[in-house]
Each structure stands twice: as C-alpha cells, then as structure tokens.
Amino acid sequence: MATERGDVAWLEAGSGWPVVLLHGFPFHAEMWRPQLLAAPEGWRFIAPDLRGFGRTPLHPPPEGAITMDTYAADVGALMDALKIEEAVIGGLSMGGYVAFAMFRQEPSRFTSMLLADTKAPADTAEGRAGRVRLREILAQQGPAAIADQMLPKLLSSDASRDVVADVRGLIETGAPAAIDAAIGALMKRPDSTPDLPRITCGALIVVGDHDAITPPSDAEVMQRAIPRSRLAVIPGAGHVSNLEQPTAFSRVLADFLLSRL
Ligand code: MLT
C-alpha cells in the first residue's frame, strides 16, 4: 500500500480491533503466519514487512540512514494509510525494539503492547562487535551464512526439523541490503530502559524459556519496570518462541487480548 513514506506491504487476518505484529531480524511478516491463522474472533491481526524485508521495498528513508525510528515511522504511516488510529502494537525481538521506538514517537496509538523475546537495553560493546562480524559474513557469503550463524541461537536444541527449515527459509530469502541496513539500525538503537515506567498501557511480555538471545532475565526486568504488565514464559521454546511453540504463543496472546476486552 502507498503510504506517506513509500510503499509498505503487510499480511493480515481477522476483523475487529487491530493488533500490529512487528517481525524480528532478519525475518519478515511471514514469521507471524501461525498467529495470523489463529487470530481470535473480534481482532484484526496486521503484520507489516519492515522496510526492505518481505515485499516492502528498501527505498531510502527521508531521514537518510535506516534506524529503529525509520521502521517505527513506516509502521505509523501504514496505520495512517489503513485509517487505524490506535492498536495493540508489539513485536518479537527487533520488532520489540521497533515497538519501543513507536512508543517514543506516538504513545497515544498504543492501547496495549506486546513485547516478545526482546529487551530494553542498547547493544553492549561486545554485542556491537558481533554485529560488525555479522556484517562482514553477510558481505562475503550472503544470507545463507547469516542463517548458519544465527540458527543455533534462535531456536532451542529441541526444535523440530520443520521449524528449523522454516526459520532458515525466512532468513535465506532476505535481501542482503535490507539485512545490512537492519544490522546498522540494531547497533545504533538507543537504550529503551528509561521508557519502561512510562508505558502505562497494559503490556504482555512473552519469552521462550530457552531464549539464548534475550533470556527470561531480560523479560523479568521489563515486567518489573512496566506498571501494568504480565509475563508469560513459553516452555520448550528458544528466541523465536512464536514459531517454535506456535500454539502456546497464540494462546497467551489470545488470553491477554480477551482479558482486555
Ligand atoms: C531479532 O531476533 O530480532 C534479533 O535477534 C535481535 C537482536 O539481535 O538484538
């Protein structure tokens, strides 16, 4: 769809109050397929492709380099184009970082927030060094090598072959330029910790019990700092908990939404 900031693609399912689901790095909207298929009655699930991912083109943003604010403003522009003023807004991992950026830009658009397998702090120096190495691997070997690097950390050791293949497929179909731009945005993202007490809408925090990238301890920090928040730990799941345990994830999301009717 054409928005004020360029074309943005998205997937959607259901009808009713909007729930905007933001994907992680380096995925695209398809990662929300199990939740789209399980959208509870009365809710409209909308999963945008962030700039450069999936079917959304990587056109240069008006502000120059791509940051979390770029993705956030793009999602705000998609909501404007869809004539959606307020929604439940949230995401998984990088999608959570984008949700924090959206909250800083337009807090009044949030009726509730979802923070799945994500964390508030910025990258550490060690984390940034890892991103620089990932960039080099991407430049030399492409997205398949990124999948090789990331897969052991994204899923628990018990993940089924199908889930591993799905996650690999999501990464391998990514455009190198979009992945590179997102790595830059991840490295530059600000610390969202000071924002946590200001999140006064209800928040659902979800984490896989085996999440090695944003472990349950990060989720507990967010839960303690966000006044009206609930924490759900998903057993038998790593970082991409919505794909590894889709039924359990969809159930905690539906329970949260229905409890807020
Ligand atoms: C993601 O899943 O979006 C990334 O792992 C986030 C990160 O690396 O910080």
Side-chain angles (χ1 to χ4, degrees):
M1 163 171 277
T3 77
E4 282 200 341
R5 292 176 53 85
D7 287 344
V8 180
W10 79 101
L11 298 174
E12 74 167 86
S15 59
W17 193 258
V19 179
V20 177
L21 298 171
L22 305 170
H23 63 80
F25 166 85
F27 308 130
H28 49 86
E30 275 291 334
M31 72 160 274
W32 293 112
R33 179 69 66 188
Q35 284 65 48
L36 292 165
L37 291 171
E41 202 180 324
W43 300 87
R44 178 184 179 194
F45 282 14
I46 296 166
D49 281 325
L50 297 176
R51 189 178 286 247
F53 291 96
R55 292 169 298 123
T56 296
L58 183 70
H59 37 73
E63 57 274 15
I66 289 180
T67 64
M68 291 301 152
D69 278 330
T70 305
Y71 298 134
D74 290 349
V75 176
L78 175 65
M79 287 175 64
D80 290 343
L82 293 173
K83 309 225 174 314
I84 294 170
E85 188 51 42
E86 299 176 324
V88 179
I89 304 170
L92 184 137
S93 199
M94 184 175 84
Y97 310 154
V98 177
F100 286 135
M102 282 191 78
F103 184 79
R104 286 188 287 274
Q105 289 176 4
E106 299 187 283
S108 62
R109 293 193 103 152
F110 285 73
T111 56
S112 306
M113 187 182 286
L114 167 69
L115 296 167
D117 298 283
T118 193
K119 63 181 174 193
D123 275 359
T124 59
E126 191 190 349
R128 281 197 201 101
R131 307 248 193 235
V132 170
R133 282 196 297 279
L134 201 63
R135 248 186 172 156
E136 286 164 6
I137 292 168
L138 176 69
Q140 285 157 14
Q141 301 169 57
I146 298 289
D148 293 339
Q149 282 285 317
M150 290 188 71
L151 270 168
K153 287 181 257 165
L154 289 173
L155 298 169
S156 79
S157 50
D158 293 332
S160 72
R161 281 179 185 211
D162 285 351
V163 171
V164 175
D166 284 351
V167 173
R168 178 176 283 284
L170 283 169
I171 300 174
E172 288 186 351
T173 51
I179 298 175
D180 184 75
I183 294 172
L186 286 163
M187 288 171 71
K188 279 181 283 182
R189 76 181 194 282
D191 181 9
S192 296
T193 310
D195 300 313
L196 299 178
R198 289 196 277 270
I199 299 172
T200 51
C201 62
L204 172 64
I205 299 162
V206 185
V207 66
D209 63 348
H210 288 100
D211 185 339
I213 297 180
T214 50
S217 53
D218 286 324
E220 285 160 14
V221 169
M222 293 191 292
Q223 203 265 316
R224 281 197 294 274
I226 301 177
R228 292 194 298 129
S229 59
R230 178 191 296 184
L231 172 62
V233 180
I234 309 273
H239 185 59
V240 197
S241 61
N242 76 303
L243 284 177
E244 202 168 339
Q245 296 295 343
T247 307
F249 189 106
S250 296
R251 193 174 51 239
V252 296
L253 178 55
D255 286 350
F256 174 72
L257 296 174
L258 297 171
S259 72
R260 308 198 68 77
L261 275 175

